[in-house]
Amino acid sequence: MSVLRELERKYNLHPSIKGQELTDRESLRKVNYPEGNVKQQVSSVVRSCLRNYKCSSYGELRTLLERFNVSIEERTGTIDGRSYAGIVYGAMTDDGYGVGTPFKSSKIGKDVGYRALQKYYERSKAALRENDALGRLRRAVRDAMSPHNTRDEFRRLLKADNIDAIFRINPVRRMFSPAQDSYLNHSCKWSRP
């Protein structure tokens, strides 16, 4: 093992670590592919997001995970008359391009698989219905929204209410919030970054 570790350091190789020897990191940070052990990094981000955020749909979870350089893809279909449904995770660069080889959720654990995510979406929907959480969210966004605010000011105002804002921007630099990605079906436009 000492020779293996020495070769890994000498040639800047990814360390060889079996399965779940490393525990999930508590702090949530972006996946860094060159750092190595991508499966553990992705696992840590996904589990932390599922613990700390409420996403009621695949689109919302995908948007959140992309913020931490993690791609997610639902795979459903039929083979030989048998239906299947699964999740594939992968690493991304800061500009949104996939890097490395994506892997099935089963390589991480059942708690991040297709069925577990369907249950998570339902629990998130129920939690948002409780105590008018969705109404409070809508009011906070409405109050923070102003044509005079920059995106940073908008983000800061929401952060004061313990709400993280993630902006989706298309290739022509327009912000959008498709209904499948957001509870707030409105059009946001800011001329200043």
Side-chain angles (χ1 to χ4, degrees), residues 155-174:
R155 213 181 240 135
R156 183 184 51 75
L157 289 169
L158 288 179
K159 194 66 173 171
D161 286 327
N162 203 24
I163 299 170
D164 291 329
I166 298 174
F167 297 101
R168 297 202 45 126
I169 300 172
N170 67 14
V172 292
R173 306 285 304 147
R174 282 226 166 119

Side-chain angles (χ1 to χ4, degrees), residues 2 5 10 14 16 20-21 30 35 37 40 57 61-62 69-70 90 104 108 123 125 146 154 163 165 186:
S2 62
R5 298 291 175 233
K10 181 177 179 182
H14 296 281
S16 59
Q20 296 290 331
E21 285 180 14
K30 288 183 174 186
E35 199 174 276
N37 203 7
Q40 192 277 328
S57 69
L61 181 60
R62 185 189 72 227
N69 292 352
V70 174
K104 294 179 184 180
I108 299 174
R123 282 192 311 270
K125 286 177 190 174
S146 166
F154 178 72
I163 299 170
H186 63 274

Side-chain angles (χ1 to χ4, degrees), residues 1-175:
M1 283 308 281
S2 62
V3 171
L4 176 63
R5 298 291 175 233
E6 187 178 324
L7 288 171
E8 288 171 346
R9 278 190 295 275
K10 181 177 179 182
Y11 295 105
N12 199 24
L13 299 172
H14 296 281
S16 59
I17 299 173
K18 290 183 189 175
Q20 296 290 331
E21 285 180 14
L22 291 179
T23 58
D24 290 341
R25 291 187 301 261
E26 288 303 315
S27 63
L28 191 56
R29 61 177 224 201
K30 288 183 174 186
V31 169
N32 182 352
Y33 182 77
E35 199 174 276
N37 203 7
V38 175
K39 184 168 57 171
Q40 192 277 328
Q41 288 186 65
V42 168
S43 166
S44 176
V45 167
V46 172
R47 286 185 172 128
S48 292
C49 285
L50 294 178
R51 264 193 317 270
N52 297 307
Y53 291 90
K54 307 266 185 290
C55 299
S56 63
S57 69
Y58 164 74
E60 290 176 6
L61 181 60
R62 185 189 72 227
T63 299
L64 176 63
L65 291 176
E66 285 174 356
R67 177 105 168 128
F68 297 103
N69 292 352
V70 174
S71 66
I72 180 174
E73 186 179 332
E74 282 187 353
R75 301 250 174 109
T76 58
T78 308
I79 295 179
D80 298 329
R82 252 183 66 214
S83 296
Y84 67 89
I87 300 291
V88 176
Y89 293 103
M92 298 171 61
T93 62
D94 285 335
D95 8 343
Y97 294 103
V99 61
T101 304
F103 47 89
K104 294 179 184 180
S105 62
S106 61
K107 299 290 182 185
I108 299 174
K110 287 185 177 184
D111 61 325
V112 296
Y114 185 84
R115 286 188 182 145
L117 291 183
Q118 299 308 309
K119 291 177 184 175
Y120 164 75
Y121 301 144
E122 290 306 314
R123 282 192 311 270
S124 293
K125 286 177 190 174
L128 287 167
R129 282 190 295 264
E130 290 175 9
N131 302 323
D132 195 35
L134 190 53
R136 283 195 316 271
L137 174 64
R138 285 186 173 130
R139 284 188 294 280
V141 170
R142 185 192 62 226
D143 293 345
M145 233 172 166
S146 166
H148 305 291
N149 286 349
T150 64
R151 275 185 248 162
D152 290 336
E153 290 166 342
F154 178 72
R155 213 181 240 135
R156 183 184 51 75
L157 289 169
L158 288 179
K159 194 66 173 171
D161 286 327
N162 203 24
I163 299 170
D164 291 329
I166 298 174
F167 297 101
R168 297 202 45 126
I169 300 172
N170 67 14
V172 292
R173 306 285 304 147
R174 282 226 166 119
M175 218 175 304

Side-chain angles (χ1 to χ4, degrees), residues 173-191:
R173 306 285 304 147
R174 282 226 166 119
M175 218 175 304
F176 66 98
S177 62
Q180 74 269 19
D181 284 341
S182 175
Y183 279 112
L184 308 168
N185 192 10
H186 63 274
S187 175
C188 302
K189 294 180 184 172
W190 276 281
S191 56

